[in-house]
Amino acid sequence: MKVLNVKGYLFVLTLLMMGLIFCNNCIAFQPLAGDIETFNPSFQYFDEDADDVIKIGLLWPFSGPAAANGAIYWLQIGWAVHDINTQGGVMVDGKQKKIVLIKGDTQMEPAAAKRAAEKLCLQDNVDIIMGSTGSHIAAIGQNVAAKYKKIFVNMASYSDTLMDQDKFNKYTFRTCSTTSMLANGLAHFYANRPEKDFYILCQDYAYGHEFAENFVQALAQVRPDARIVGKDFHPLFVKDFAPYLSKIQGANAQVIITADYTPDSNNLTKQWDQLGMTIPLAGPFVLNPLALQSIGEPYGKGFVTVQSCLLDLDKPGNKEFALAWNTQWKRWKDPLYSTNLFQWTGSTLAQATIGTYWLMHVIEKAGELNPDKIVATWEGDQTIIFGNLYSMRACDHQAMFNMHVSEIEWPNDYYEKSAGPIKVTAIPAEKIVPPPPKGLKNCQ
Amino acid sequence: MNPATAMYIIQALHGLAYGMLLFLVASGLTLIFGMVGILNMAHASLFMLSAYLCYQVLAFTNSFWMSLFLAPLITACLGLLLERFFLRKVQAHGLGHIAELLLTMGISMVIAESVKSIWGTESLVISIPPSLDGLASFAGIHYPIYRLFIIGLSFCILALLVTVLYKTKLGKIIRATASDPGMVSILGINTPKVFAGVFALGAWMAGVAGVAAAPMLTVFPGLADQVGMDAFVVVVVGGLGSLLGAFVVSLTLGELNSFGVQFIPKLAPVLVFGFMAIVLSLKPNGFFGEGDH
């Protein structure tokens, strides 16, 4: 074997050094590896005119009555973006590019949403659009994005029909759960529980009806002896839930299944308590620390929550994320973000943060911002983020992952004055992800 | 008690409680219109502002009763300032009801945005005061004490209003000013002050309603829109400016909602508007409205 001389060693050493320098540019970012301590959700600034950046349009309500919702996503996505940017950005076209977020204010109104989406595409020239709360708004966002061949990432709208044969387009991906995934997850949780009499109380529009239908169907499969003792659909933004709740008491239900979100979920929780009810609420949005705090002890103990990602300090990955978040939350002084609502991440809070990390991984894998390349890369992609496995179903661009359900308890280690998840049950993705939509060409 | 009878009583009480809360909001609105002739589009925003003020006073004093005293008082002072520095000028220039509508709409937007910038856009936590928490039991029925408190408070406000308007000299002056301000002015009464006082009283009532509703509903920037529409339905169907009309229609809407949910839940949300359509088609000025408005 020939031994290297000094020149040989120097040559090898030089190669190693060059490799190191080269690799420094190709190392992918890692969640939570950035300078997250400098993140302040109230003071996020992005240079919209900067060159060589990845422009992301956020299509959410940033004004009007639903502005709180936009503020939540600004925080969630801002977290991931700050983390990635402080690691140098995302490797695209052979160089690291930072991410710039640009707001597109939907005001939660279709006309305003269309204007905002068009502006993001034509004037701001964003590379990708993320959105949108409200299925009717998401539908607009994904149509406008497809018209201009932009990727649209749905991180907040659950309606299954958004990705069916009528509405699907190849540039849209959904990283959040669907209504049926949430309902199926909840039904599977009750498969082995003693409760068998359920009352359904949901909002009277597509989302509420979809949730109820899916829950009933899934429950019939996994728990044939269960009974739906009543079903009501109330208008959006009900002031007085008392008539509904008294009716439910009379029906001798053991669980109230509700897909309501705020402000309905808050009013429901408060008035549930005022009527002295003991029948627990179960649904995706019952774990709201602010609403639970308002009803006093035992702060919603016994409610059941279902989410794609639930706070779980026993789970590696999830624990690091939750602790990092909680540490930063203690520094946020803005009243908008300093409430207990944001004390811990998980549930809907975590969903968009995870979706943002995933999207950026995909872009890095694609190596360019060409939408067709991103589509090809993301279809069938798998990734593990904070201990959960996420897969993108190629034929309808629906993310698949386990659903998590928990009966919330008080006292707990998370909240002083709110019940929180202690024992989290994971419902496997194969049990809760609906089959691909019939009639969608790619799925046949 | 027979479960069916208990159900009827409880649903009737639910209807009464919500109806009286609605009356608290709508009565101030109809009072201002009836006496001053201004359709105050900012009324629901004042109601919302008072709910936020309730939160703030509670944060400082931890006393719901102090909130019930201070928040409506601050709201009334704001109403007084709005009347003095904005609405009076619009009226002095003879710009008519359209200008008043636009102005009060603008004020409501300013209040909404101010609320967001001061308290944020997230829902605020306001709990029922311990002294009003829990259930009252009678004849085997358990009913929330707080809802009974709302019913009682609304009746007290109604009694106070009726007494002031119809049993006192001040009431006579107010009614006379509403009827013929020119004549009253000749008699040496400062009519602008009377109008300002009535406007402040209406704002105070919105403030009382805001504090009463805060522990029951969610305090968030959409609260004004949530309750404002119902209040306008009450005022229009009851007859613009009619306190009796507002009272009757508030109770009717509350009961329609309660029993609608119990017996025909799918139609319950439509009942209110069906009722409004029927009343207005038969009596275009509302139940107790006068044609001259």
Side-chain angles (χ1 to χ4, degrees):
Chain A
M1 192 173 138
K2 193 178 176 183
V3 179
L4 288 174
N5 58 17
V6 175
K7 281 186 179 174
Y9 276 116
L10 281 173
F11 179 68
V12 171
L13 197 63
T14 311
L15 278 180
L16 278 171
M17 293 291 286
M18 285 176 69
L20 273 175
I21 292 164
F22 176 71
C23 270
N24 196 35
N25 280 339
C26 69
I27 290 171
F29 66 86
Q30 291 299 322
L32 306 181
D35 185 12
I36 208 68
E37 288 190 5
T38 54
F39 174 64
N40 187 334
S42 307
F43 295 99
Q44 296 187 71
Y45 170 74
F46 298 98
D47 183 1
E48 296 180 9
D49 300 322
D51 294 325
D52 264 353
V53 292
I54 301 170
K55 288 187 177 179
I56 308 277
L58 302 190
L59 200 58
W60 265 283
F62 291 105
S63 68
N69 189 271
I72 289 173
Y73 285 93
W74 180 245
L75 162 69
Q76 288 176 252
I77 295 166
W79 170 284
V81 166
H82 182 86
D83 185 18
I84 295 167
N85 278 348
T86 52
Q87 294 176 56
V90 181
M91 179 67 78
V92 184
D93 300 328
K95 49 187 167 183
Q96 281 192 298
K97 292 187 181 181
K98 295 205 172 177
I99 306 158
V100 166
L101 297 180
I102 301 171
K103 286 181 180 176
D105 185 4
T106 67
Q107 299 169 36
M108 210 62 178
E109 288 175 5
K114 189 162 190 305
R115 279 197 304 274
E118 294 270 357
K119 178 182 173 288
L120 287 172
C121 292
L122 295 174
Q123 193 174 320
D124 301 319
N125 200 22
V126 297
D127 300 296
I128 286 157
I129 297 179
M130 293 177 180
S132 287
T133 301
S135 300
H136 58 310
I137 303 292
I140 290 167
Q142 66 188 47
N143 285 343
V144 172
K147 188 167 84 176
Y148 298 108
K149 290 196 173 182
K150 306 277 184 189
I151 298 289
F152 182 84
V153 188
N154 178 358
M155 296 181 165
S157 280
Y158 298 148
S159 174
D160 287 71
T161 59
L162 279 171
M163 304 301 268
D164 67 9
Q165 65 271 30
D166 296 326
K167 295 202 181 75
F168 173 82
N169 73 65
K170 75 172 211 175
Y171 295 109
T172 297
F173 290 82
R174 174 154 52 188
T175 58
C176 64
S177 354
T178 65
T179 311
S180 58
M181 286 165 74
L182 291 165
N184 293 348
L186 199 55
H188 276 84
F189 176 76
Y190 282 109
N192 301 310
R193 297 266 302 187
E195 301 92 339
K196 62 174 188 172
D197 291 335
F198 299 87
Y199 200 106
I200 292 174
L201 181 63
C202 286
Q203 290 158 327
D204 191 10
Y205 80 114
Y207 160 69
H209 284 269
E210 254 181 41
F211 186 91
E213 270 172 38
N214 280 290
F215 179 79
V216 172
Q217 281 173 13
L219 193 68
Q221 284 178 357
V222 300
R223 185 77 190 274
D225 63 327
R227 294 185 307 173
I228 305 298
V229 296
K231 200 191 287 184
D232 276 324
F233 295 95
H234 63 79
L236 275 175
F237 309 147
V238 164
K239 277 79 68 181
D240 192 11
F241 277 99
Y244 292 100
L245 291 169
S246 290
K247 193 177 168 189
I248 292 169
Q249 269 181 321
N252 294 320
Q254 291 173 302
V255 181
I256 303 169
I257 301 293
T258 178
D260 284 11
Y261 51 80
T262 57
D264 282 337
S265 57
N266 288 0
N267 280 344
L268 177 62
T269 303
K270 286 176 91 172
Q271 291 166 21
W272 174 92
D273 176 66
Q274 286 162 21
L275 290 182
M277 291 190 69
T278 52
I279 307 166
L281 299 171
F285 302 106
V286 298
L287 175 52
N288 180 329
L290 295 180
L292 296 179
Q293 184 181 331
S294 73
I295 64 176
E297 289 184 25
Y299 303 113
K301 178 183 177 180
F303 287 11
V304 171
T305 185
V306 55
Q307 282 295 343
S308 56
C309 176
L310 258 178
L311 177 61
D312 186 358
L313 291 189
D314 293 331
K315 188 173 183 175
N318 190 302
K319 179 182 177 180
E320 287 75 34
F321 180 35
L323 290 177
W325 181 283
N326 181 251
T327 305
Q328 295 316 309
W329 171 79
K330 290 170 185 163
R331 300 168 195 248
W332 300 338
K333 302 298 177 203
D334 184 341
L336 182 59
Y337 295 115
S338 60
T339 65
N340 297 104
L341 185 66
F342 300 104
Q343 186 175 352
W344 294 95
T345 186
S347 63
T348 45
L349 273 185
Q351 207 163 245
T353 311
I354 290 168
T356 308
Y357 282 123
W358 190 6
L359 168 68
M360 295 308 155
H361 273 306
V362 168
I363 291 175
E364 207 159 49
K365 275 187 196 172
E368 54 183 285
L369 288 167
N370 180 329
D372 292 310
K373 187 75 187 292
I374 293 173
V375 170
T377 308
W378 210 345
E379 288 182 345
D381 183 63
Q382 287 198 331
T383 188
I384 294 175
I385 302 173
F386 302 137
N388 291 326
L389 173 67
Y390 297 85
S391 312
M392 185 57 75
R393 190 156 63 188
C395 80
D396 66 343
H397 296 183
Q398 172 59 49
M400 302 188 293
F401 42 79
N402 293 349
M403 198 55 70
H404 298 88
V405 191
S406 177
E407 181 175 341
I408 56 176
E409 297 286 342
W410 186 84
N412 56 68
D413 294 334
Y414 306 121
Y415 302 102
E416 190 187 343
K417 290 182 176 178
S418 167
I422 287 187
K423 189 183 170 195
V424 176
T425 305
I427 313 289
E430 57 270 23
K431 286 188 177 178
I432 50 102
V433 177
K438 289 173 187 168
L440 195 59
K441 203 167 63 181
N442 295 352
C443 297
Q444 286 170 349
Chain B
M1 184 183 287
N2 177 327
T5 312
M7 179 274 289
Y8 278 107
I9 293 175
I10 287 176
Q11 291 293 18
L13 283 170
H14 288 330
L16 183 62
Y18 182 64
M20 292 311 281
L21 181 65
L22 208 51
F23 171 73
L24 267 184
V25 187
S27 55
L29 186 63
T30 206
L31 179 79
I32 291 173
F33 187 84
M35 302 295 164
V36 189
I38 293 170
L39 191 52
N40 181 14
M41 301 298 281
H43 191 77
S45 298
L46 291 172
F47 158 80
M48 177 179 73
L49 177 67
S50 179
Y52 275 96
L53 290 171
C54 168
Y55 170 83
Q56 202 57 58
V57 177
L58 265 173
F60 286 137
T61 66
N62 206 21
S63 164
F64 175 78
W65 304 106
M66 190 58 85
S67 295
L68 189 57
F69 173 70
L70 281 180
L73 196 64
I74 298 169
T75 312
C77 291
L78 181 67
L80 200 65
L81 294 173
L82 291 176
E83 197 282 337
R84 173 67 186 82
F85 293 105
F86 296 97
L87 285 160
R88 198 180 295 180
K89 288 190 176 175
V90 168
Q91 284 186 322
H93 285 86
L95 295 173
H97 288 313
I98 297 294
E100 289 163 8
L101 277 178
L102 288 175
L103 177 64
T104 51
M105 274 178 76
I107 291 168
S108 74
M109 286 175 192
V110 171
I111 292 173
E113 290 306 313
S114 307
V115 157
K116 279 187 231 168
S117 62
I118 296 169
W119 287 283
T121 49
E122 202 44 66
S123 308
L124 298 181
V125 177
I126 297 176
S127 304
I128 289 180
S131 54
L132 297 174
D133 203 5
L135 300 171
S137 298
F138 49 94
I141 290 173
H142 308 288
Y143 201 73
I145 297 170
Y146 192 75
R147 284 178 176 256
L148 295 173
F149 165 73
I150 287 180
I151 295 169
L153 179 71
S154 305
F155 273 113
C156 288
I157 299 283
L158 176 65
L160 180 75
L161 265 183
V162 171
T163 307
V164 169
L165 285 178
Y166 298 100
K167 303 281 181 193
T168 64
K169 188 181 172 190
L170 177 66
K172 275 184 189 168
I173 292 171
I174 290 172
R175 284 183 290 130
T177 309
S179 173
D180 193 343
M183 179 61 76
V184 174
S185 186
I186 290 168
L187 294 172
I189 291 168
N190 188 339
T191 51
K193 270 191 182 169
V194 175
F195 283 145
V198 172
F199 196 90
L201 179 64
W204 178 80
M205 289 165 74
V208 172
V211 176
M216 192 171 138
L217 304 177
T218 299
V219 179
F220 76 116
L223 184 61
D225 299 330
Q226 204 181 22
V227 177
M229 180 55 77
D230 282 0
F232 273 99
V233 170
V234 166
V235 170
V236 171
V237 177
L240 287 163
S242 166
L243 264 182
L244 179 62
F247 179 70
V248 170
V249 173
S250 296
L251 290 191
T252 309
L253 293 194
E255 298 302 342
L256 272 179
N257 181 53
S258 276
F259 287 101
V261 166
Q262 180 68 43
F263 295 113
I264 39 171
K266 285 184 181 172
L267 292 178
V270 186
L271 287 177
V272 170
F273 296 102
F275 174 69
M276 182 169 83
I278 291 169
V279 170
L280 292 183
S281 62
L282 297 174
K283 290 178 72 77
N285 293 315
F287 260 128
F288 300 92
E290 291 173 17
D292 56 351
H293 288 309

